[in-house]
Amino acid sequence: MNVMTTIPQPIISSTVHVNHYNQLLTTLSAASSLSHLKQVHARIIRLGLDRSNSLLIKLAVSACTLSSPSFDYALSAFYQMHNPEPHLSNKLLRELSRSIKPEKALLAYAKMREKGFVVDSFSLPPLLKASTRIPALSEGMELHGFATKLDFVSDPFVQTGLVAMYSACGHIEDARMMFDKMPERDVVAWNMMIDGYCGNGRYNDVLPLIEEMKRSDVKPDEKIFSTVVSACGRAGNLEFGKAFHEFITENKVVIDYNLQCSLVIMYAGCCSMDMAANIFKKLSPKNIVVSTAMITGYSKAGRIDDARLIFDQMTEKDLICWSAMISGYAERGQPQKALQLFDKMLTLGVKPDQVTMLSVISACASLGAVHNALKIQSYVDENRFSGVLPVNNALIDMYAKCGELDRAKQVFTRVHRRNVITWSSMIGAYAVHGDAINALDLFHEMKNQKTAPNEVTFVGLLYACSHAGLVEEGRKIFASMVNDYNLTPKREHYGCMVDLYGRANLLKEALEVIEQMPMAPNVVIWGSLMAACRIYNETELGEFAAKRVLELDPYHDGAHIFLSNIYAKGKKWENVGEIRKLMQNKGVVKQRGSSRIELDGEIHEFLTADKNHARVDEIYEKLDAVVSELEVAGYTPNMSCVLVDLDEDEKTKALLWHSEKLALCFGLLRRKRGSCIRIIKNLRVCEDCHNFMKLASKVYGIQIVVRDRTRFHRYEDGVCSCKDYW
DNA sequence: GTCGATACAT
């Protein structure tokens, strides 16, 4: 039915007018589409009511609140008005400022000034709100100037709006100046200022402000505590968060559901899981957001089983909580569980996003299993993630950590729009494979393509140099980092330099780096010097470094063992006894060696002297055979690698039962002809195993790839890719 | 007739 045809001709009578007017208002409120509004607009004109500004404003506001709003229609209706009263214009400004296009409010304002529409002090709050939401500093400042000129600036609502605007534009000091000038500050003004500090990361300014608020007559409400507590959580500021919790309790602020949620999320975000759990267990109902925060918190705190418990108790699961649980496993050294969970998620029909993929790829990287890596890449390619740069960057890293340098290179090549992470990942890939030449070449190519290197790029480059013994090149790279790229070296970079000099037997230079670095050396750096001293039998400096390690990490197994060996070599038996006793008292145990080998997509793990494998007899039999065959080729067990005090026979066994030798023998039993044997080890490869692998590669004509704690060794025809420099 | 409107997780 056509609305227009049913309308009688307007009869000029005030009663009829009022009737039409009210009817039109109701129709405007109910309008659900632009075409509907246009029909009503036509009726307004036909009825001769188009001089009614209040009707036209209602029309304009209705155009803004449609499910698919038309701001341009609203504005054109507005511009047709004749000097609308400011309280009507302000209605529209308010609507526009809250809409998805707050900039339309500023546009309307510009036109109002142009057309000479009257603006009053009530126009400013919505305009400032628009400037806050965009955020638009220069427009906001202009409004400030305008308000000052017309003396609207003494209005507390305008003042609060200015505080919000300056905070949102990052001008927190101006916000504070405005705030300080306010003669009367209500709870909203205080909240805006506090919120502003939180939004600008100025958490340390919040507490003093709350104290000041307490001293004034304004009582803080539970809403602002929710905001502040969650801000503490985001900043990981536990001390501050706790102080707030105490403040809340002491001041008997009502802890409502939302504040409870904020507290749980804050404690979980700060890894203070006992506190989080205390509140969480009382929380009812337990929503998905808080549960996810608990999962992440437990994961970060290393309590992955507790995280899983929460996960399993969730009645409703979304992509985010799946991703949180998966990345928890990936980051807490349980990559297999991460991958299992990913499979389960796919089975249940939950579609991963980029974030999930990055966790899963990093799980594959730490697992180091080629089979899984290939599976994940096909998933990436089949599900349109192959064009996503961060995913490709992660794939490069994954293949590098799986020992698949060529596949890493393939991914690198297919990425055309490379960013600094792409380049750094590939440089890092060459570095862990001991290929310093290609790492440096790639760096030059990167420079030619005008991609600026960052700190991570230089870690890769320095790492490559130190693992290849390129002392001079490393020195130059370090200097270039500072001089050409204006980057400030971090601990990692100094660590690489210590490593570079240490591995090259330039122990004096290594010590000088430590002495001259601007920050305190950490356990890794002293550990690196200690390791160098161990290689070059430098007992005096070694003892010194080991002691520094123990100061920083009293439970460091390697430093205890190293010291004990130094003393044993020097026949200082009393000191040896002391160290042993110390280890016993402190409960320091040597980290047990563990090696994984992947065969037919299955992963087998061996610990040192492992007797748990199903085919244990066969494996040890094979080990005896291999040892005999290698002895013919010149192998003699290198007893200096045994760090415990045992008799000769036991020492030999301890050496031969290193986990990577067991894994190798299992690989030799099960491998397919022509395939390469890949072993992933948790510790550094010892000299004896290194020699063992080299000889095995020659005697059996196979390629063996071993990933140890820090790098790859590729053994072929009796030679290792690390050139015995590791 | 005006300002904020709580938590929000990978």
Side-chain angles (χ1 to χ4, degrees):
Chain A
M1 186 178 67
N2 189 338
V3 182
M4 300 282 287
T5 58
T6 64
I7 308 281
Q9 285 298 307
I11 303 158
I12 308 305
S13 118
S14 62
T15 349
V16 175
H17 245 122
V18 169
N19 282 344
H20 280 309
Y21 180 84
N22 287 338
Q23 195 192 16
L24 284 164
L25 274 186
T26 318
T27 321
L28 280 172
S29 300
S32 60
S33 69
L34 186 60
S35 67
H36 196 176
L37 277 184
K38 283 180 176 168
Q39 286 175 357
V40 185
H41 195 176
R43 248 172 90 187
I44 292 172
I45 294 166
R46 289 193 54 168
L47 287 165
L49 291 172
D50 56 321
R51 294 191 72 85
S52 162
N53 281 339
S54 53
L55 266 183
L56 289 177
I57 277 295
K58 182 75 188 171
L59 178 78
V61 166
S62 297
C64 297
T65 52
L66 291 171
S67 57
S68 45
S70 173
F71 301 109
D72 293 333
Y73 187 75
L75 288 175
S76 72
F78 180 55
Y79 298 152
Q80 284 163 24
M81 294 167 67
H82 303 284
N83 295 322
E85 301 86 327
H87 77 94
L88 292 178
S89 309
N90 294 343
K91 276 205 167 84
L92 180 64
L93 291 179
R94 178 168 185 268
E95 213 52 65
L96 292 170
S97 73
R98 293 172 174 222
S99 74
I100 50 163
K101 294 201 165 175
E103 65 274 14
K104 296 286 181 192
L106 298 180
L107 192 71
Y109 169 68
K111 199 83 175 187
M112 283 169 75
R113 306 272 322 258
E114 194 186 302
K115 286 179 159 281
F117 288 6
V118 181
V119 175
D120 68 4
S121 69
F122 287 76
S123 312
L124 278 141
L127 292 170
L128 288 168
K129 189 186 174 69
S131 319
T132 301
R133 289 189 52 206
I134 293 174
L137 180 65
S138 59
E139 286 85 348
M141 286 173 73
E142 227 178 280
L143 288 165
H144 190 177
F146 177 73
T148 309
K149 210 166 83 186
L150 298 184
D151 201 29
F152 297 154
V153 83
S154 53
D155 180 325
F157 288 91
V158 175
Q159 292 166 336
T160 310
L162 285 167
V163 170
M165 182 276 291
Y166 280 120
S167 309
C169 296
H171 281 224
I172 188 72
E173 298 305 342
D174 290 324
R176 183 59 194 257
M177 230 144 56
M178 193 65 234
F179 179 76
D180 285 339
K181 275 190 218 157
M182 292 176 71
E184 299 277 336
R185 284 173 284 204
D186 67 355
V187 68
V188 178
W190 284 97
N191 288 359
M192 288 294 248
M193 194 61 233
I194 291 166
D195 212 17
Y197 275 133
C198 291
N200 281 274
R202 295 269 297 259
Y203 303 100
N204 290 328
D205 293 296
V206 176
L207 194 53
L209 204 63
I210 293 265
E211 292 295 341
E212 208 181 317
M213 184 175 183
K214 248 166 62 179
R215 284 194 296 274
S216 80
D217 285 337
V218 184
K219 203 174 154 59
D221 61 5
E222 70 274 13
K223 284 176 192 150
I224 194 60
F225 285 110
S226 236
T227 309
V228 173
V229 162
S230 67
C232 296
R234 270 196 298 274
N237 196 333
L238 179 61
E239 196 190 348
F240 195 7
K242 254 188 180 160
F244 267 104
H245 191 184
E246 276 161 26
F247 183 94
I248 288 163
T249 317
E250 278 164 21
N251 288 268
K252 302 201 167 41
V253 176
V254 182
I255 303 185
D256 65 2
Y257 185 76
N258 287 308
L259 188 47
Q260 261 179 309
C261 291
S262 312
L263 285 166
V264 173
I265 292 165
M266 182 273 290
Y267 280 121
C270 298
C271 288
S272 188
M273 293 317 293
D274 292 336
M275 290 297 285
N278 263 334
I279 308 167
F280 183 73
K281 70 179 176 214
K282 287 180 256 168
L283 189 74
S284 173
K286 300 190 193 324
N287 65 56
I288 200 164
V289 173
V290 180
S291 300
T292 306
M294 287 295 289
I295 291 173
T296 310
Y298 274 133
S299 304
K300 275 198 289 187
R303 292 167 63 176
I304 195 75
D305 294 336
D306 289 319
R308 183 58 188 258
L309 223 55
I310 302 272
F311 181 77
D312 287 339
Q313 281 164 3
M314 290 172 75
T315 46
E316 189 200 342
K317 291 191 180 78
D318 66 354
L319 173 61
I320 299 179
C321 76
W322 279 100
S323 297
M325 196 63 237
I326 289 171
S327 95
Y329 279 128
E331 279 161 27
R332 303 312 313 180
Q334 299 199 33
Q336 274 170 296
K337 286 210 171 142
L339 296 177
Q340 278 165 13
L341 207 61
F342 179 62
D343 276 340
K344 194 170 167 195
M345 179 180 126
L346 294 182
T347 313
L348 291 172
V350 182
K351 288 265 168 248
D353 66 356
Q354 187 189 314
V355 179
T356 327
M357 290 316 295
L358 292 176
S359 287
V360 173
I361 295 171
S362 112
C364 275
S366 57
L367 190 62
V370 183
H371 174 79
N372 290 286
L374 292 172
K375 239 173 76 180
I376 220 61
Q377 193 185 356
S378 7
Y379 188 86
V380 163
D381 291 346
E382 283 158 20
N383 290 276
R384 279 183 284 187
F385 286 111
S386 54
V388 181
L389 186 58
V391 168
N392 284 321
N393 293 343
L395 287 177
I396 293 171
D397 181 60
M398 174 187 80
Y399 279 129
K401 290 192 173 135
C402 291
E404 291 284 324
L405 192 56
D406 289 341
R407 288 190 196 272
K409 188 76 200 283
Q410 276 168 23
V411 178
F412 178 79
T413 311
R414 84 174 186 191
V415 178
H416 294 295
R417 298 184 60 171
R418 298 165 186 159
N419 65 8
V420 61
I421 300 173
T422 322
W423 290 98
S424 303
S425 301
M426 197 60 223
I427 288 172
Y430 283 126
V432 288
H433 284 85
D435 190 344
I437 303 303
N438 268 316
L440 292 168
D441 279 354
L442 204 62
F443 179 50
H444 289 122
E445 200 184 325
M446 174 183 184
K447 286 195 284 191
N448 288 339
Q449 306 220 350
K450 307 275 179 253
T451 305
N454 66 12
E455 283 95 345
V456 182
T457 323
F458 280 99
V459 171
L461 290 166
L462 292 172
Y463 194 92
C465 292
S466 87
H467 282 262
L470 300 179
V471 177
E472 210 31 61
E473 198 62 46
R475 226 196 290 253
K476 277 187 203 153
I477 295 268
F478 188 85
S480 163
M481 169 179 181
V482 179
N483 301 330
D484 304 336
Y485 297 98
N486 204 20
L487 295 168
T488 312
K490 292 196 203 157
R491 245 192 216 101
E492 293 98 299
H493 302 102
Y494 289 104
C496 285
M497 292 310 284
V498 173
D499 213 40
L500 177 80
Y501 290 129
R503 284 171 192 277
N505 201 11
L506 297 167
L507 297 168
K508 194 170 136 266
E509 283 84 346
L511 185 62
E512 271 168 20
V513 172
I514 296 182
E515 284 167 349
Q516 283 163 18
M517 59 191 273
M519 62 286 277
N522 62 8
V523 67
V524 179
I525 289 181
W526 285 117
S528 155
L529 183 65
M530 180 181 88
C533 292
R534 194 182 52 76
I535 297 172
Y536 297 108
N537 289 319
E538 180 60 51
T539 50
E540 203 178 315
L541 186 58
E543 184 179 354
F544 177 74
K547 284 183 172 167
R548 299 292 83 73
V549 168
L550 288 179
E551 279 170 9
L552 296 166
D553 179 4
Y555 296 92
H556 197 283
D557 56 347
H560 283 102
I561 293 160
F562 178 56
L563 275 179
S564 151
N565 283 327
I566 290 180
Y567 296 142
K569 267 184 203 158
K571 305 209 185 329
K572 296 178 183 169
W573 304 113
E574 223 169 87
N575 292 357
V576 173
E578 250 173 57
I579 292 282
R580 291 290 159 87
K581 221 167 139 188
L582 205 64
M583 285 179 76
Q584 237 167 23
N585 290 345
K586 286 197 281 194
V588 175
V589 267
K590 188 173 180 290
Q591 195 186 345
R592 199 164 169 196
S594 131
S595 293
R596 291 195 303 251
I597 181 167
E598 182 192 357
L599 287 162
D600 302 328
E602 234 177 79
I603 293 158
H604 301 261
E605 186 162 12
F606 295 90
L607 299 173
T608 308
D610 205 332
K611 300 270 167 142
N612 285 325
H613 197 275
R615 295 172 65 176
V616 57
D617 293 337
E618 228 180 309
I619 293 165
Y620 281 87
E621 216 172 278
K622 181 73 180 173
L623 178 65
D624 287 340
V626 171
V627 171
S628 311
E629 282 166 329
L630 294 191
E631 274 171 346
V632 174
Y635 171 69
T636 40
N638 180 349
M639 293 304 180
S640 73
C641 296
V642 184
L643 303 176
V644 276
D645 212 6
L646 298 167
D647 68 43
E648 278 308 300
D649 188 40
E650 284 172 320
K651 264 192 176 178
T652 313
K653 277 185 187 163
L655 192 63
L656 295 178
W657 292 351
H658 277 179
S659 61
E660 56 268 58
K661 291 193 183 92
L662 298 178
L664 172 71
C665 292
F666 185 62
L668 288 170
L669 282 171
R670 284 273 305 268
R671 81 189 178 99
K672 291 205 184 83
R673 187 177 289 277
S675 65
C676 128
I677 289 182
R678 300 160 181 284
I679 295 168
I680 295 167
K681 161 128 220 232
N682 64 337
L683 306 170
R684 178 185 178 274
V685 181
C686 79
E687 280 79 359
D688 188 68
C689 284
H690 198 262
N691 191 30
F692 196 90
M693 297 287 163
K694 284 203 294 190
L695 287 168
S697 73
K698 190 178 173 115
V699 169
Y700 302 109
I702 50 168
Q703 210 183 58
I704 307 168
V705 177
V706 177
R707 176 177 115 181
D708 76 3
R709 187 178 226 156
T710 53
R711 61 169 299 151
F712 280 90
H713 301 263
R714 183 178 287 266
Y715 306 91
E716 207 170 356
D717 200 24
V719 180
C720 179
S721 61
C722 80
K723 303 184 186 78
D724 301 340
Y725 192 86
W726 83 100

